[in-house]
Amino acid sequence: MTLRNLLLGATMLCAATTSAFAFAQDAAPADDAAAPADTIDYGNDIIVTASKRSQTLQDTPVAVSVTSAADIQNSQIRDLIDLQSSVPSLRVGQLQSSANTNFIIRGFGNGANNAGIEPSVGVFIDGVYRSRSAAQIGDLPNVERIEVLRGPQSTLFGKNASAGVISIITQKPQFEFGGSLEASYGNYDAIVVKGDITGPISDTLAFSIGGNYNRRDGYARDLHLDQDVNDRNRWGVRGQLLFEPSDTLSIRLIGDYDKIDENCCIAGNVVAGPTVAITNALVGGPSVDANNPFSYDVYNNFLSENRIKNYGGSAQIDYDLGNMALTSITAYREVRSFANQDSDFTAADLIGRKSDDVAINTFTQEARLTSDFDGPVNFLLGGYYFNEKIDQKNQLFFGDDFRNYGNALIQAASGGALSVPALETFLGTFDGNPAQYAGRFFRAGDGFDEAYRMKNTSWSIFGTVDFELTDRLTFTAGANYTQDRKRFSTDVVSTDTFSAIDLDAPQYTPFRQALLVGAGVDPVTAAYLAANPTITLPDGSSANPLAGLKDFQFLPPFLNVPNAVEPGKTHDKDLAWSARLAYELTDTVNVYATYATGFKASSINLSRDSRPLASDLPAIDAAGLTTPNLVGGTRFAGPEESEVYEVGLKGQWSVAAVNLAVFKQSIKGFQSNIFTGTGFALANAGKQSTWGVEFDGSVRPVDGLNLTLAVTWLDPKYDSFTGSAFGDISGTKPSGIPDLSAAMGATYTAEVGDGNRAIFHVDYLYESPTRLVDGLQGFPTGFSDQFKREVNQLNASFTFALNNGLELGVWGRNLTNARYLTTIFPAVAQSGSVSGYPSQPRTYGVTGRFKF
């Protein structure tokens, strides 16, 4: 799809909108109250709470996309990953497990792969903050709507909304009996069953209870294990009570539990490097499907596990004080996540176990007071408290084949001069015992045993004040003061014997000298270089002939924290603020201009890649804490501070709506978390910025037909990023952010017979080609630029709804079976190879639904 086609589509929509506007001037207002529940509402009936007040979408001067329950049903949106097909400014990526999902709005977002990194995009369900992706990706509950707020929202939300917010609002219990039951069957033997029921218990108490079950065979095949992989197996229940003893008091209690037990996620081989020949030899056959990530055929030596339990409860109290309203939301949640993955993604048993066992307990409390005065001034004042504890245990052990694999690598690196047994003997000899290391290098079962703990307490005071300067002009000022404290500790033990050896140590001088002489260096020069192994030669190489072996010291001893130099804590505070002018040009057209800042506190590197700052190494050495092969890195990334300049227009008529936003948004200290092949590099970018334009329009040119078009254009760059994993990349374009994204849709509802309806729906998502990663560790600069992602996804559904509440339908997602890589990364401990995650193939099925 080309830009020309997109512009043609936009022109057609605008032409239809123009006709509709003319029609709207002459036609009587539509009777929206009589519209079926699964049709689109127009005019001022779309109510949102993006600004923590119930307002019409037209009157909300915030860049917000709203996805209704009807949109979710028609597009077969199952979870937040599917949601991006309806919101082009939103990108959702699932990485190596069901617990790792990354949310990006306008090109900004992070948070996956590390429990210590909170997301820049906040996810809220019924006003309750979900702090980690493991608590966010389950099947969507019985939703009323989903609001995606674009840009910093810190002055309205108490925690981590520096890039935007996804707010999911579910349906409240009703005082009339009703409910629904839905069953769906699709390819890969996919079975989805959902049901809910609601009704009164008394005149003042109502209930609702719902459940869902989602199971699917894997769409990929592990040829080594002869098993389907990338399956789906999840279920959940959700119950609510609504107590309304008077017109002024409402109490809503929610409890939910959901569970995931899946095999996820495959990584295909994108580039087969020289190590593939070694792993093939180890297994006596193919160890990967070389250079073919879209075959959906993989080779592993054990099945991956993903087990997630996510549960909790909340209580919301709303009290009407007349011209003011008081709201309190109290919540407690727990997440238990376990993942075990064959992270080398080969049939060889290189990594025998790579597991992550995470427990997260979260308590939140929000209280806010909102005014509704008749005069020109109104306000919202709120407070937010957050308390979270994380307990994480990881294991990374060498597998049965790693010793032979390491032996092949060392023989290749030394030109056949060394082997693992010979190296064990030589190093043991110079350490005083030739048998000291015998059989211990790369021994199966050795590796890392890790434990991490973190406690995060945060509080904030936030508020906004609206000044009606005239009947049509409103000025809004907002502020949020936040304090955030984190304490963290590590208990990591490495049993990797080879990685604990300092190859620059003086006792190995004779060994180094012998290797240099054997390589043709004259004895005098060899003696000098052997005694000074840290010298860099004029050609850039190391004076130490053993230096190449340092690449195979994968798991060196770990310096735990806190220690005498590193306290293991952070303390951040910030005042974020916003200013906005909103003006009603007419009764149907509003414009606004906004300046806002946002804040996200420090993120902690709870992983084996946690390292002291380079500036702390001298103090660590002076304190006698230096461990063998200790290098600098980061324990945490500092806070993010964002700002946005934005102007927008909102127009809403009886049969059409248009939203337009133009913005410049930036984040200072963006927290970047990049996989390097053996671990993740967490660092702050100096500054990342984006110019952008967002258009969102819908029109009903004829009765029953609704057309939608949403287009996002972005021009991002790293203004400053000198300390990236790939060096200074200042001035370059960040990866993974398409210049152009567009979501188009059409829904046609035809009346058939006496109250029956036939509903046709189609939607299309396009993303222009974009680089997948900023770079690949161990590869030449620019090598990764050849790998790009272009998205062309077509979804469609047809539903026949009978007047008795029964609905039958067929649906399909990614009907053209478009394929692309979501991301790529250096293959784990396999120099020269690249792995990547392929997109999900075409899915389709039939659905039966009964509403009563």
Side-chain angles (χ1 to χ4, degrees), residues 226-247:
D226 194 26
Q227 290 275 347
D228 289 335
V229 289
N230 269 42
D231 62 3
R232 177 158 286 190
N233 183 20
R234 51 183 65 174
W235 62 270
V237 293
R238 181 180 179 86
Q240 300 187 60
L241 288 174
L242 180 62
F243 180 50
E244 294 183 344
S246 68
D247 293 338

Side-chain angles (χ1 to χ4, degrees), residues 25 61 90 131 180 183 225 244 250 272 348 362 420 423 458 489 530 598 615 741 791 816:
Q25 300 300 317
L90 172 68
S131 65
S180 67
L225 299 174
E244 294 183 344
S250 173
T362 308
V420 168
L423 194 61
S458 175
S489 63
S615 58
S741 303
V791 178
T816 60

Side-chain angles (χ1 to χ4, degrees), residues 445-526:
D446 283 355
F448 256 1
D449 207 330
E450 312 163 56
Y452 309 92
R453 288 188 175 182
M454 185 179 83
K455 182 177 181 181
N456 180 197
T457 57
S458 175
W459 62 267
S460 62
I461 299 173
F462 61 92
T464 60
V465 180
D466 297 332
F467 300 91
E468 292 185 6
L469 303 178
T470 70
D471 289 344
R472 292 185 176 273
L473 180 63
T474 301
F475 173 72
T476 301
N480 181 323
Y481 179 76
T482 296
Q483 287 212 27
D484 186 280
R485 296 177 184 269
K486 293 183 174 75
R487 292 183 177 272
F488 58 97
S489 63
T490 68
D491 183 9
V492 179
V493 177
S494 173
T495 54
D496 179 359
T497 303
F498 181 58
S499 293
I501 293 176
D502 181 3
L503 297 174
D504 293 328
Q507 67 265 32
Y508 303 132
T509 298
F511 185 27
R512 292 191 293 265
Q513 183 175 353
L515 290 173
L516 289 168
V517 170
V521 179
D522 68 87
V524 174
T525 302

Side-chain angles (χ1 to χ4, degrees), residues 541-554:
S541 63
S542 172
N544 187 351
L546 298 174
L549 299 180
K550 294 180 181 180
D551 291 338
F552 309 121
Q553 293 182 310
F554 298 112

